């Protein structure tokens, strides 16, 4: 039972499971157990694997949802307006319309940052 794609969701890291098969020493395992992971709102863009009934995990390409404008990075040529507002957010920095969702997105201060996609394993 893997999540569908093209949906918003909440993810949270599981540090212990992430390092369990790496053969690390006891100190590293204790450190991973001491972490308190946060929850993150993301958009599941598409699955990178075909999730079969006996699959242990499935990889997804995701877009993190940000609540702030992007920090500028002159070295990388990134400016704060390099975002896509998610409606009902009305962003004054961009002249383009915000991305609409069905049903309407429940938060009014969210963005997708340009070039922020990442791959995760569920």
């Amino acid at each position: 039972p893997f999540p569908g794609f093209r949906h918003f969701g909440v993810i949270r890291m599981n540090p212990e499971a992430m390092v369990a098969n790496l053969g690390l020493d006891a100190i590293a395992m204790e450190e991973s157990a001491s972490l308190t992971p946060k929850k993150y709102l993301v958009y599941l863009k598409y699955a990178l694997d075909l999730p079969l009934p006996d699959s242990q995990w499935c990889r997804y390409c995701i877009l993190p949802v940000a609540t702030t404008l992007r920090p500028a990075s002159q070295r990388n040529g990134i400016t704060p307006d390099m975002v896509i507002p998610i409606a009902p957010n009305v962003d004054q920095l961009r002249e383009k319309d915000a991305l609409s969702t069905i049903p309407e997105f429940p938060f009014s201060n969210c963005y997708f940052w340009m070039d922020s996609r990442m791959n995760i394993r569920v």
Side-chain angles (χ1 to χ4, degrees), residues 2-8 42-51 58-63 117-122:
F2 292 101
F5 56 94
R6 295 194 302 172
H7 289 86
F8 287 93
V42 299
Y43 179 72
L44 299 167
K45 191 169 183 178
Y46 54 84
L48 296 166
D49 301 309
L50 179 62
C58 180
R59 295 175 304 153
Y60 290 85
C61 176
I62 65 165
L63 300 173
R117 72 174 183 233
M118 60 184 73
N119 297 337
I120 63 165
R121 187 173 81 173
V122 176

Side-chain angles (χ1 to χ4, degrees), residues 65-122:
V65 174
T67 57
T68 63
L69 293 176
R70 185 173 191 144
S73 172
Q74 188 174 10
R75 188 181 84 159
N76 295 319
I78 294 173
T79 59
D81 67 338
M82 296 177 82
V83 297
I84 300 171
I86 305 169
N89 187 351
V90 178
D91 188 315
Q92 302 302 320
L93 293 177
R94 294 179 56 94
E95 295 178 10
K96 297 183 179 179
D97 292 332
L99 177 74
S100 296
T101 63
I102 300 173
E104 183 175 309
F105 197 68
F107 307 108
S108 63
N109 63 332
C110 294
Y111 304 89
F112 288 128
W113 289 358
M114 301 301 275
D115 198 32
S116 66
R117 72 174 183 233
M118 60 184 73
N119 297 337
I120 63 165
R121 187 173 81 173
V122 176

Side-chain angles (χ1 to χ4, degrees), residues 13-22 29 32-33 121:
M13 290 188 332
N14 182 344
E16 292 179 79
M18 292 171 65
V19 299
N21 296 325
L22 299 178
M29 295 303 295
S32 71
R121 187 173 81 173

